[in-house]
Amino acid sequence: MAQKPLRLLACGDVDGKFDILFNRVRAIQKKSGNFDLLLCVGNFFGSTPDAEWEEYKTGIKKAPIQTYVLGANNQETVKYFQDADGCELAENITYLGRKGIFTGSSGLQIVYLSGTESLNEPVPGYNFSPKDVSSLRTMLCTTSQFKGVDILLTSPWPKYVGNFGNSSGEVDTKKCGSALVSSLAMGLKPRYHFAALEKTYYERLPYRNHVVLQENAQHATRFIALANVGNPEKKKYLYAFSIVPMKLMDAAELVKQPPDVTENPYRKSGQEASIGKQIPAPVEESACQFFFDLNEKQGRKRSSTGRDSKSPHPKQPRKPPQPPGPCWFCLASPEVEKHLVVNIGTHCYLALAKGGLSDDHVLILPIGHYQSVVELSAEVVEEVEKYKATLRRFFKSRGKRCVVFERNYKSHHLQLQVIPVPVSCCATDDIKDAFITQAQEQQIELLEIPEHSDIKQIAQPGAAYFYVELDTGEKLFHRIKKNFPLQFGREVLASEAILNIPGKSDWRQCQISKEDEETLARRFQKDFEPYDFTLELRQENGLNPGGGGCCEPRLLHCTPA
Ligand SMILES: [Zn+2]
């Protein structure tokens, strides 16, 4: 069955002229029907303070279309983008984040990179660095199945984009633009690449991503630079197009070459080499490993640096993402309360919840600093799933079923809450009903999403959400718009319908002494031991548990409010 194409709009620098832009979008939609998304590249905000934005921010005015924007390109506008991971700026207007991939529910893949190029680390909030580009490339392009993405959004033009193409007008693409963006476009093979900042419109002839007669045909890329909104010369700033996500396309259809296709602007004449020089080699994909000896020398740890002691060229393990400030949940952080840690894998660890609903209420946490499940790489997700499945078996053997929930709202480090509920308490359907009923009472819209479906496909980047996963794999999902009761998941589970311990719905009322916490943690470790898959991991790595460590985790809160 033929897939209905998505209808998208792309826009250049808005420069704070929101009314002009949205009135234009309204007029277009009135004339030619509704579009699905508006994507804005370049400067979304102007450098002067304006009352116009206040009206959108406070909800007096509303964008007529779901709008996604890139972040700041200068110091003056950094303040508008509070959360580096993306967030809702106003109703219908979402900041995508510093860099990443956004997969829409349709399967459309959009890669975004905010800011302008800087080669000096550390970079301020309005720049991207060679490291940022290299991590995007590593994240996406290193698997053999990688074929390309649908759309790439950057603010600067890629350097050299005019090579082999039609004239780029007054813009000299050998001098202007970012070589890092060129290298990213070269690696990602987007079908559409949008950029702005040069205050002009340039639609390059499509270019091919394969070498003729040497490689199999691949899809072509269309690069489109857009002008600024409301420019007096009436240069094009809004571009309308239809697209079927490449995932859903027939391979032959996808690689059809347009008649005017040109050579790849980034490939020839030694320029690739000069572009490549600025990109550090892809970093090792394995996360830093932590090995605690949890039974003997409590809390002592060793990292995997000793792993290749026999190899003449030891590989440096990649450091997991670091938090911008102190974090209670980063395993290497001094704020972590180590006595609550009960099991450590390669990418994730288990800890007893502080002030848990029960003695065996645990959290699955990534070792590195990730805000939500949506941000995890495939290998981290895999281990999260392994922990979930193992905990389900473990609790099942003890006559309990697992309820898992995540709240990506007012929290900075992913915490998957795993709460065992005795089978004798109630059936899975009772748990589901309790969530639905109590959500209705609080006007929280819980959507039932299919088993095994990926939160990544449902949650927009940066958007806040809550979901609960039942032991059947069914999930109930809520997209948080403005406010959400922080203790909702606990409240439902503590309610009479389920655990019937209403007094325990707030974790602060469940705190116990450190000695008691230690006792509970030791008990959990011992009980969990027969299910501990990380023992094998350690043996495979030829590591003895124990050894010295520099960063000892200390504090773990269940739900910081
Ligand atoms: Zn963290």
Side-chain angles (χ1 to χ4, degrees):
M1 200 178 79
Q3 188 66 34
K4 194 169 153 261
L6 293 162
R7 302 180 73 220
L8 308 187
L9 290 167
C11 181
D13 306 272
V14 180
D15 285 334
K17 294 175 179 163
F18 309 110
D19 287 347
I20 298 181
L21 167 65
F22 292 132
N23 286 338
R24 177 98 185 95
V25 171
R26 269 186 209 101
I28 293 172
Q29 297 205 114
K30 202 171 166 195
K31 197 172 142 219
S32 26
N34 280 353
F35 282 76
D36 296 295
L37 291 178
L38 165 64
L39 307 170
C40 298
V41 291
N43 296 316
F44 187 66
F45 293 98
S47 297
T48 47
D50 58 355
E52 235 179 74
W53 176 244
E54 275 308 303
E55 293 183 313
Y56 287 91
K57 207 178 145 190
T58 53
I60 297 170
K61 286 181 181 168
K62 186 183 153 182
I65 182 170
Q66 187 55 247
T67 305
Y68 290 96
V69 310
L70 291 181
N73 297 296
N74 50 52
Q75 183 60 53
E76 297 86 77
T77 56
V78 168
K79 61 173 190 275
Y80 293 108
F81 304 95
Q82 297 290 348
D83 190 339
D85 298 322
C87 52
E88 196 163 80
L89 299 174
E91 195 174 349
N92 263 359
I93 305 176
T94 303
Y95 163 46
L96 286 161
R98 291 281 288 268
K99 60 166 192 283
I101 181 160
F102 164 43
T103 307
S105 51
S106 57
L108 188 78
Q109 289 196 310
I110 303 174
V111 172
Y112 52 90
L113 177 68
S114 289
T116 56
E117 175 179 304
S118 167
L119 300 178
N120 304 316
E121 303 267 4
V123 297
Y126 51 89
N127 283 149
F128 56 82
S129 69
K131 244 198 230 161
D132 290 320
V133 169
S134 139
S135 79
L136 264 181
R137 284 185 63 150
T138 311
M139 184 171 98
L140 297 162
C141 319
T142 44
T143 65
S144 56
Q145 298 89 12
F146 181 80
K147 296 203 167 55
V149 297
D150 291 302
I151 298 170
L152 170 62
L153 304 177
T154 62
S155 285
W157 289 30
K159 207 168 184 174
Y160 313 119
V161 67
N163 286 358
F164 313 115
N166 45 319
S167 163
S168 47
E170 67 262 49
V171 179
D172 180 354
T173 63
K174 286 192 176 60
K175 295 207 179 87
C176 109
S178 157
L180 289 175
V181 169
S182 316
S183 101
L184 186 62
M186 173 96 180
L188 288 178
K189 301 174 203 168
R191 293 163 68 203
Y192 284 87
H193 178 180
F194 293 98
L197 297 182
E198 301 298 335
K199 310 215 173 298
T200 192
Y201 165 67
Y202 169 52
E203 180 165 2
R204 194 200 181 281
L205 291 173
Y207 64 82
R208 52 174 89 86
N209 282 297
H210 61 279
V211 181
V212 179
L213 303 178
Q214 284 179 34
E215 291 172 317
N216 289 335
Q218 295 175 26
H219 59 268
T221 297
R222 292 170 191 276
F223 171 78
I224 296 137
L226 293 158
N228 44 321
V229 169
N231 65 83
E233 300 95 338
K234 302 220 180 314
K235 290 179 188 167
K236 193 180 178 82
Y237 65 83
L238 207 53
Y239 183 93
F241 64 112
S242 305
I243 185 167
V244 173
M246 60 191 286
K247 263 190 192 170
L248 307 174
M249 279 176 82
D250 177 67
E253 185 65 28
L254 177 66
V255 304
K256 249 188 208 162
Q257 301 293 304
D260 50 356
V261 71
T262 78
E263 214 38 73
N264 189 311
Y266 315 125
R267 196 186 294 276
K268 286 265 174 72
S269 328
Q271 264 133 14
E272 196 195 340
S274 71
I275 292 164
K277 232 182 270 172
Q278 297 178 19
I279 312 294
V283 274
E284 183 74 358
E285 248 316 278
S286 77
C288 194
Q289 293 172 328
F290 291 81
F291 295 100
F292 277 75
D293 177 357
L294 292 164
N295 298 315
E296 287 151 38
K297 298 172 204 156
Q298 184 70 26
R300 302 203 66 187
K301 121 183 199 304
R302 64 182 289 155
S303 76
S304 64
T305 35
R307 163 175 75 159
D308 293 315
S309 53
K310 280 169 244 147
S311 146
H313 302 293
K315 283 179 186 166
Q316 279 298 103
R318 187 190 63 167
K319 271 188 154 178
Q322 302 297 302
C327 179
W328 284 330
F329 304 104
C330 279
L331 190 57
S333 139
E335 279 79 17
V336 169
E337 206 165 345
K338 71 172 185 213
H339 70 278
L340 292 170
V341 175
V342 291
N343 195 270
I344 300 162
T346 309
H347 307 285
C348 305
Y349 69 101
L350 280 187
L352 277 195
K354 199 166 181 71
L357 276 171
S358 59
D359 291 351
D360 46 7
H361 173 175
V362 288
L363 312 178
I364 305 173
L365 305 120
I367 289 170
H369 190 73
Y370 295 93
Q371 189 184 318
S372 70
V373 155
V374 175
E375 283 178 15
L376 301 180
S377 66
E379 54 188 0
V380 186
V381 169
E382 200 182 310
E383 198 171 88
V384 166
E385 292 302 321
K386 198 165 176 182
Y387 265 120
K388 264 200 240 168
T390 309
L391 285 168
R392 281 212 180 100
R393 276 189 289 121
F394 167 66
F395 284 124
K396 198 177 169 193
S397 75
R398 310 175 78 80
K400 296 172 184 182
R401 55 176 123 247
C402 278
V403 179
V404 178
F405 68 82
E406 180 194 350
R407 185 197 72 214
N408 177 29
Y409 172 68
K410 298 201 173 168
S411 78
H412 295 282
H413 190 120
L414 165 62
Q415 303 144 57
L416 272 183
Q417 308 270 346
V418 183
I419 298 100
V421 177
V423 172
S424 56
C425 259
C426 54
T428 302
D429 275 346
D430 298 327
I431 300 175
K432 188 169 159 183
D433 287 346
F435 270 96
I436 292 171
T437 318
Q438 294 188 44
Q440 272 167 355
E441 281 166 13
Q442 304 193 47
Q443 265 127 39
I444 294 166
E445 186 193 22
L446 271 187
L447 301 171
E448 223 170 297
I449 58 174
E451 244 174 273
H452 309 300
S453 58
D454 194 346
I455 297 295
K456 270 187 196 183
Q457 305 290 326
I458 293 147
Q460 287 155 344
Y465 62 80
F466 169 89
Y467 72 84
V468 55
E469 185 176 342
L470 305 168
D471 60 342
T472 48
E474 286 169 280
K475 294 191 189 88
L476 300 169
F477 178 88
H478 169 63
R479 185 171 172 229
I480 300 175
K481 301 211 173 72
K482 284 217 171 70
N483 297 308
F484 184 75
L486 296 180
Q487 305 290 339
F488 178 70
R490 279 185 75 112
E491 272 164 20
V492 177
L493 289 166
S495 69
E496 281 162 29
I498 305 179
L499 291 169
N500 195 16
I501 39 169
K504 285 192 155 192
S505 60
D506 189 330
W507 71 275
R508 283 163 294 205
Q509 285 157 12
C510 308
Q511 277 175 290
I512 52 174
S513 70
K514 192 178 171 194
E515 289 71 40
D516 289 345
E517 285 175 342
E518 278 167 353
T519 309
L520 291 183
R522 271 198 298 270
R523 195 160 83 200
F524 186 94
Q525 275 167 36
K526 193 164 168 285
D527 294 344
F528 188 67
E529 207 173 65
Y531 294 84
D532 183 4
F533 60 86
T534 65
L535 284 170
E536 287 158 43
L537 282 175
R538 259 167 282 183
Q539 277 150 10
E540 275 167 29
N541 279 287
L543 276 170
N544 302 313
C550 54
C551 31
E552 298 193 334
R554 258 186 274 129
L555 182 77
L556 277 168
H557 286 265
C558 173
T559 35

PDB file of all heavy atoms in Angstrom, residues 321-323 325-331 333 366-370 412-414, ligand 1:
ATOM      1  N   PRO A 321      28.370   9.835  28.938  1.00  0.00           N
ATOM      2  CA  PRO A 321      28.068  11.263  28.946  1.00  0.00           C
ATOM      3  C   PRO A 321      28.154  11.845  30.357  1.00  0.00           C
ATOM      4  O   PRO A 321      27.746  11.206  31.318  1.00  0.00           O
ATOM      5  CB  PRO A 321      26.623  11.317  28.438  1.00  0.00           C
ATOM      6  CG  PRO A 321      26.379  10.027  27.777  1.00  0.00           C
ATOM      7  CD  PRO A 321      27.307   9.022  28.378  1.00  0.00           C
ATOM      8  N   GLN A 322      28.710  13.047  30.452  1.00  0.00           N
ATOM      9  CA  GLN A 322      28.914  13.683  31.746  1.00  0.00           C
ATOM     10  C   GLN A 322      27.801  14.688  32.033  1.00  0.00           C
ATOM     11  O   GLN A 322      27.317  15.353  31.127  1.00  0.00           O
ATOM     12  CB  GLN A 322      30.260  14.412  31.751  1.00  0.00           C
ATOM     13  CG  GLN A 322      31.442  13.506  31.450  1.00  0.00           C
ATOM     14  CD  GLN A 322      31.624  12.419  32.485  1.00  0.00           C
ATOM     15  OE1 GLN A 322      31.791  12.706  33.663  1.00  0.00           O
ATOM     16  NE2 GLN A 322      31.569  11.168  32.061  1.00  0.00           N
ATOM     17  N   PRO A 323      27.397  14.809  33.298  1.00  0.00           N
ATOM     18  CA  PRO A 323      26.347  15.776  33.632  1.00  0.00           C
ATOM     19  C   PRO A 323      26.912  17.202  33.636  1.00  0.00           C
ATOM     20  O   PRO A 323      28.104  17.381  33.847  1.00  0.00           O
ATOM     21  CB  PRO A 323      25.941  15.363  35.039  1.00  0.00           C
ATOM     22  CG  PRO A 323      27.171  14.742  35.625  1.00  0.00           C
ATOM     23  CD  PRO A 323      27.904  14.107  34.478  1.00  0.00           C
ATOM     24  N   GLY A 325      26.283  19.445  35.822  1.00  0.00           N
ATOM     25  CA  GLY A 325      26.524  19.844  37.218  1.00  0.00           C
ATOM     26  C   GLY A 325      26.498  18.621  38.103  1.00  0.00           C
ATOM     27  O   GLY A 325      26.557  17.510  37.598  1.00  0.00           O
ATOM     28  N   PRO A 326      26.419  18.808  39.420  1.00  0.00           N
ATOM     29  CA  PRO A 326      26.370  17.639  40.303  1.00  0.00           C
ATOM     30  C   PRO A 326      25.154  16.773  39.980  1.00  0.00           C
ATOM     31  O   PRO A 326      24.101  17.308  39.644  1.00  0.00           O
ATOM     32  CB  PRO A 326      26.214  18.250  41.702  1.00  0.00           C
ATOM     33  CG  PRO A 326      26.496  19.708  41.566  1.00  0.00           C
ATOM     34  CD  PRO A 326      26.294  20.078  40.135  1.00  0.00           C
ATOM     35  N   CYS A 327      25.327  15.469  40.016  1.00  0.00           N
ATOM     36  CA  CYS A 327      24.199  14.579  39.720  1.00  0.00           C
ATOM     37  C   CYS A 327      24.155  13.471  40.752  1.00  0.00           C
ATOM     38  O   CYS A 327      25.167  12.877  41.070  1.00  0.00           O
ATOM     39  CB  CYS A 327      24.337  14.004  38.313  1.00  0.00           C
ATOM     40  SG  CYS A 327      22.998  12.887  37.888  1.00  0.00           S
ATOM     41  N   TRP A 328      22.951  13.211  41.258  1.00  0.00           N
ATOM     42  CA  TRP A 328      22.789  12.169  42.277  1.00  0.00           C
ATOM     43  C   TRP A 328      22.853  10.772  41.705  1.00  0.00           C
ATOM     44  O   TRP A 328      22.900   9.799  42.419  1.00  0.00           O
ATOM     45  CB  TRP A 328      21.420  12.334  42.956  1.00  0.00           C
ATOM     46  CG  TRP A 328      21.349  13.452  43.933  1.00  0.00           C
ATOM     47  CD1 TRP A 328      22.374  13.938  44.692  1.00  0.00           C
ATOM     48  CD2 TRP A 328      20.188  14.218  44.284  1.00  0.00           C
ATOM     49  NE1 TRP A 328      21.915  14.952  45.480  1.00  0.00           N
ATOM     50  CE2 TRP A 328      20.585  15.149  45.256  1.00  0.00           C
ATOM     51  CE3 TRP A 328      18.862  14.202  43.856  1.00  0.00           C
ATOM     52  CZ2 TRP A 328      19.691  16.057  45.815  1.00  0.00           C
ATOM     53  CZ3 TRP A 328      17.975  15.092  44.414  1.00  0.00           C
ATOM     54  CH2 TRP A 328      18.392  16.017  45.385  1.00  0.00           C
ATOM     55  N   PHE A 329      22.789  10.665  40.382  1.00  0.00           N
ATOM     56  CA  PHE A 329      22.624   9.333  39.806  1.00  0.00           C
ATOM     57  C   PHE A 329      23.743   8.879  38.873  1.00  0.00           C
ATOM     58  O   PHE A 329      23.769   7.744  38.458  1.00  0.00           O
ATOM     59  CB  PHE A 329      21.276   9.254  39.080  1.00  0.00           C
ATOM     60  CG  PHE A 329      20.118   9.607  39.957  1.00  0.00           C
ATOM     61  CD1 PHE A 329      19.478  10.831  39.846  1.00  0.00           C
ATOM     62  CD2 PHE A 329      19.695   8.728  40.938  1.00  0.00           C
ATOM     63  CE1 PHE A 329      18.418  11.158  40.678  1.00  0.00           C
ATOM     64  CE2 PHE A 329      18.644   9.043  41.774  1.00  0.00           C
ATOM     65  CZ  PHE A 329      17.997  10.272  41.645  1.00  0.00           C
ATOM     66  N   CYS A 330      24.647   9.794  38.492  1.00  0.00           N
ATOM     67  CA  CYS A 330      25.787   9.367  37.690  1.00  0.00           C
ATOM     68  C   CYS A 330      26.664   8.500  38.585  1.00  0.00           C
ATOM     69  O   CYS A 330      27.078   8.966  39.653  1.00  0.00           O
ATOM     70  CB  CYS A 330      26.580  10.572  37.200  1.00  0.00           C
ATOM     71  SG  CYS A 330      25.856  11.345  35.766  1.00  0.00           S
ATOM     72  N   LEU A 331      26.953   7.293  38.156  1.00  0.00           N
ATOM     73  CA  LEU A 331      27.643   6.364  39.053  1.00  0.00           C
ATOM     74  C   LEU A 331      29.005   6.890  39.485  1.00  0.00           C
ATOM     75  O   LEU A 331      29.464   6.634  40.589  1.00  0.00           O
ATOM     76  CB  LEU A 331      27.768   4.992  38.383  1.00  0.00           C
ATOM     77  CG  LEU A 331      28.259   3.866  39.290  1.00  0.00           C
ATOM     78  CD1 LEU A 331      27.383   3.698  40.516  1.00  0.00           C
ATOM     79  CD2 LEU A 331      28.324   2.560  38.529  1.00  0.00           C
ATOM     80  N   SER A 333      29.741   9.893  39.994  1.00  0.00           N
ATOM     81  CA  SER A 333      29.637  11.194  40.658  1.00  0.00           C
ATOM     82  C   SER A 333      29.771  11.058  42.171  1.00  0.00           C
ATOM     83  O   SER A 333      29.298  10.086  42.774  1.00  0.00           O
ATOM     84  CB  SER A 333      28.296  11.810  40.261  1.00  0.00           C
ATOM     85  OG  SER A 333      27.688  12.420  41.348  1.00  0.00           O
ATOM     86  N   PRO A 366      21.138   4.399  34.090  1.00  0.00           N
ATOM     87  CA  PRO A 366      22.323   4.335  33.237  1.00  0.00           C
ATOM     88  C   PRO A 366      23.540   4.842  34.018  1.00  0.00           C
ATOM     89  O   PRO A 366      23.398   5.731  34.857  1.00  0.00           O
ATOM     90  CB  PRO A 366      21.995   5.264  32.073  1.00  0.00           C
ATOM     91  CG  PRO A 366      20.941   6.182  32.586  1.00  0.00           C
ATOM     92  CD  PRO A 366      20.228   5.476  33.701  1.00  0.00           C
ATOM     93  N   ILE A 367      24.696   4.257  33.769  1.00  0.00           N
ATOM     94  CA  ILE A 367      25.918   4.677  34.455  1.00  0.00           C
ATOM     95  C   ILE A 367      26.293   6.100  34.050  1.00  0.00           C
ATOM     96  O   ILE A 367      26.680   6.916  34.865  1.00  0.00           O
ATOM     97  CB  ILE A 367      27.062   3.685  34.128  1.00  0.00           C
ATOM     98  CG1 ILE A 367      26.795   2.350  34.851  1.00  0.00           C
ATOM     99  CG2 ILE A 367      28.428   4.263  34.537  1.00  0.00           C
ATOM    100  CD1 ILE A 367      27.707   1.212  34.436  1.00  0.00           C
ATOM    101  N   GLY A 368      26.161   6.390  32.752  1.00  0.00           N
ATOM    102  CA  GLY A 368      26.448   7.730  32.247  1.00  0.00           C
ATOM    103  C   GLY A 368      25.231   8.629  32.407  1.00  0.00           C
ATOM    104  O   GLY A 368      24.151   8.183  32.790  1.00  0.00           O
ATOM    105  N   HIS A 369      25.421   9.894  32.099  1.00  0.00           N
ATOM    106  CA  HIS A 369      24.363  10.867  32.319  1.00  0.00           C
ATOM    107  C   HIS A 369      23.418  10.958  31.120  1.00  0.00           C
ATOM    108  O   HIS A 369      23.701  11.643  30.146  1.00  0.00           O
ATOM    109  CB  HIS A 369      24.991  12.231  32.611  1.00  0.00           C
ATOM    110  CG  HIS A 369      23.992  13.234  33.087  1.00  0.00           C
ATOM    111  ND1 HIS A 369      23.442  13.190  34.346  1.00  0.00           N
ATOM    112  CD2 HIS A 369      23.435  14.295  32.471  1.00  0.00           C
ATOM    113  CE1 HIS A 369      22.597  14.185  34.485  1.00  0.00           C
ATOM    114  NE2 HIS A 369      22.571  14.881  33.359  1.00  0.00           N
ATOM    115  N   TYR A 370      22.314  10.258  31.209  1.00  0.00           N
ATOM    116  CA  TYR A 370      21.273  10.336  30.179  1.00  0.00           C
ATOM    117  C   TYR A 370      19.997  10.789  30.864  1.00  0.00           C
ATOM    118  O   TYR A 370      19.669  10.300  31.940  1.00  0.00           O
ATOM    119  CB  TYR A 370      21.009   8.962  29.560  1.00  0.00           C
ATOM    120  CG  TYR A 370      22.164   8.380  28.794  1.00  0.00           C
ATOM    121  CD1 TYR A 370      23.063   7.528  29.419  1.00  0.00           C
ATOM    122  CD2 TYR A 370      22.343   8.682  27.444  1.00  0.00           C
ATOM    123  CE1 TYR A 370      24.130   6.984  28.717  1.00  0.00           C
ATOM    124  CE2 TYR A 370      23.401   8.136  26.738  1.00  0.00           C
ATOM    125  CZ  TYR A 370      24.291   7.285  27.385  1.00  0.00           C
ATOM    126  OH  TYR A 370      25.330   6.741  26.678  1.00  0.00           O
ATOM    127  N   HIS A 412      16.861  14.908  35.804  1.00  0.00           N
ATOM    128  CA  HIS A 412      17.921  15.081  34.813  1.00  0.00           C
ATOM    129  C   HIS A 412      18.633  13.794  34.459  1.00  0.00           C
ATOM    130  O   HIS A 412      19.341  13.713  33.482  1.00  0.00           O
ATOM    131  CB  HIS A 412      18.934  16.111  35.318  1.00  0.00           C
ATOM    132  CG  HIS A 412      18.327  17.472  35.435  1.00  0.00           C
ATOM    133  ND1 HIS A 412      18.127  18.273  34.347  1.00  0.00           N
ATOM    134  CD2 HIS A 412      17.808  18.125  36.504  1.00  0.00           C
ATOM    135  CE1 HIS A 412      17.535  19.386  34.739  1.00  0.00           C
ATOM    136  NE2 HIS A 412      17.320  19.315  36.041  1.00  0.00           N
ATOM    137  N   HIS A 413      18.441  12.792  35.303  1.00  0.00           N
ATOM    138  CA  HIS A 413      19.130  11.522  35.054  1.00  0.00           C
ATOM    139  C   HIS A 413      18.057  10.427  35.080  1.00  0.00           C
ATOM    140  O   HIS A 413      17.289  10.330  36.031  1.00  0.00           O
ATOM    141  CB  HIS A 413      20.190  11.295  36.136  1.00  0.00           C
ATOM    142  CG  HIS A 413      21.102  10.147  35.844  1.00  0.00           C
ATOM    143  ND1 HIS A 413      22.472  10.293  35.715  1.00  0.00           N
ATOM    144  CD2 HIS A 413      20.853   8.826  35.653  1.00  0.00           C
ATOM    145  CE1 HIS A 413      23.019   9.115  35.464  1.00  0.00           C
ATOM    146  NE2 HIS A 413      22.053   8.204  35.414  1.00  0.00           N
ATOM    147  N   LEU A 414      18.020   9.650  34.026  1.00  0.00           N
ATOM    148  CA  LEU A 414      17.004   8.605  33.900  1.00  0.00           C
ATOM    149  C   LEU A 414      16.951   7.676  35.118  1.00  0.00           C
ATOM    150  O   LEU A 414      17.959   7.131  35.538  1.00  0.00           O
ATOM    151  CB  LEU A 414      17.297   7.778  32.641  1.00  0.00           C
ATOM    152  CG  LEU A 414      16.579   6.435  32.516  1.00  0.00           C
ATOM    153  CD1 LEU A 414      15.080   6.590  32.463  1.00  0.00           C
ATOM    154  CD2 LEU A 414      17.065   5.708  31.283  1.00  0.00           C
TER     155      LEU A 414
HETATM  156 ZN    ZN B   1      23.680  11.899  35.907  1.00  0.00          ZN
END
